[in-house]
Amino acid sequence: MARFDGRVCIVSGGGSGLGRATALRLASEGGHVAVLDLALESATRVADEIAASGGTARAYQVDVADPKSVRAAVDAAATALGRPQVLVSCAGTGRFANSHEMPFEDWQRIIAVNLTGTFLMAQAVLPHLLDGGGNIVNVASNAGLMGIAYSAAYCASKAGVVNLTRALSDEYVKRGVRVNCVAPGGMATPFQNTFRELPPGADPTSLGKIRSALGMAEPDEVAALIAFVASDEGRYMTGAIVSIDGGITT
Ligand SMILES: NC(=O)c1ccc[n+]([C@@H]2O[C@H](COP(=O)([O-])OP(=O)(O)OC[C@H]3O[C@@H](n4cnc5c(N)ncnc54)[C@H](O)[C@@H]3O)[C@@H](O)[C@H]2O)c1
């Protein structure tokens, strides 16, 4: 029997990169996957990919930063697929900026998507998880565990995800819900393109510490870890922050 046989799994940011790899992985192990993304076409492509390989998936548009949008997408997924038992929050955004020049709107959007969005997804899915058990895997970053120049909003948002995970874990550990966090380092995904451009006057050498001697991870490698944590094999894990970052946060 596959680890996610018939289990309804919701993946935010499922249209690309790590979210896509996670959706494919959970579906390949029997999960019925709700692929949620701001970009509906990407989510639909991934759901179609899953269906073409014999799996079960549906695509939904969501802006994780908007509570109404989150509720609507989670409700629609639960109605179509059944009670969600797994939530993986992959949706994320960010870019480099000089902190003293960063537009307020950019700060707000990064915090809204990465931190508030992770909370809103958890809040919408928790009533389902409490109704028979389940678990949440949040996606943070090495940036949530270390300082990185030109990344104040991104670092702050991901550090928030780290401690949000611990707080939720403590709150729900006695009620059948595990909450964990996977913290990747650099992954070969489209997200990296947004981090190519340095702000004016930036010193590239200050970013040397985020480059691993092992290069970048493939999203599949990180998705495999997420699947382990979300499966029953991760039964004893809750409140864990699991790094998979080529050693850069040692
Ligand atoms: N790629 C890396 O090097 C790296 C490293 C550490 C952590 N991460 C984290 O991994 C997660 C996945 O990133 P990725 O590398 O797969 O990036 P990606 O850009 O390939 O995928 C991110 C997805 O999130 C979606 N998204 C963005 N804003 C959204 C919103 N408001 N509502 C719903 N969906 C939204 C995008 O449309 C996209 O499909 C992110 O949380 C990111 O911060 C990435």
Side-chain angles (χ1 to χ4, degrees):
M1 184 164 130
R3 291 186 297 183
F4 296 95
D5 252 351
R7 293 188 191 185
V8 176
C9 307
I10 295 184
V11 181
S12 80
S16 175
L18 178 59
R20 171 181 170 273
T22 301
L24 294 175
R25 176 70 190 235
L26 298 177
S28 76
E29 297 196 41
H32 294 183
V33 181
V35 184
L36 273 56
D37 206 288
L38 192 57
L40 181 59
E41 326 80 72
S42 314
T44 303
R45 257 196 311 275
V46 173
D48 288 349
E49 226 179 311
I50 290 170
S53 56
T56 302
R58 299 278 178 105
Y60 300 94
Q61 207 268 334
V62 74
D63 180 353
V64 296
D66 173 0
K68 282 202 188 108
S69 168
V70 167
R71 289 258 170 228
V74 170
D75 286 354
T79 302
L81 294 170
R83 181 182 80 84
Q85 294 185 54
V86 172
L87 165 64
V88 182
S89 273
C90 277
T93 190
R95 66 177 186 82
F96 287 133
N98 284 315
S99 293
H100 60 285
E101 294 170 338
M102 185 177 200
F104 179 58
E105 296 69 31
D106 288 9
W107 167 273
Q108 278 191 309
R109 184 64 182 163
I110 292 170
I111 300 291
V113 173
N114 296 356
L115 178 54
T116 308
T118 302
F119 174 72
L120 292 175
M121 285 301 305
Q123 193 180 42
V125 176
L126 269 163
H128 298 289
L129 304 182
L130 288 167
D131 184 23
N135 75 90
I136 297 173
V137 183
N138 292 325
V139 175
S141 167
N142 60 290
L145 301 169
M146 68 198 288
I148 303 174
Y150 320 118
S151 310
Y154 188 69
C155 285
S157 70
K158 291 299 188 177
V161 170
V162 166
N163 230 27
L164 169 66
T165 299
R166 294 188 179 120
L168 292 177
S169 168
D170 258 26
E171 188 169 341
Y172 295 104
V173 64
K174 292 184 184 158
R175 301 182 64 188
V177 178
R178 299 185 295 112
V179 187
N180 291 292
C181 177
V182 165
M187 281 182 293
T189 70
F191 193 75
Q192 282 290 328
N193 299 331
T194 61
F195 279 101
R196 275 200 214 298
E197 204 176 314
L198 289 179
D203 170 10
T205 62
S206 59
L207 295 169
K209 67 181 185 178
I210 62 172
R211 291 194 188 91
S212 165
L214 302 181
M216 295 243 187
E218 289 302 322
D220 288 359
E221 296 175 289
V222 181
L225 173 60
I226 290 173
F228 175 83
V229 174
S231 77
D232 290 346
E233 290 183 279
R235 183 198 72 84
Y236 200 59
M237 295 179 76
T238 191
I241 314 301
V242 188
S243 286
I244 173 163
D245 63 9
I248 59 177
T249 51
T250 53

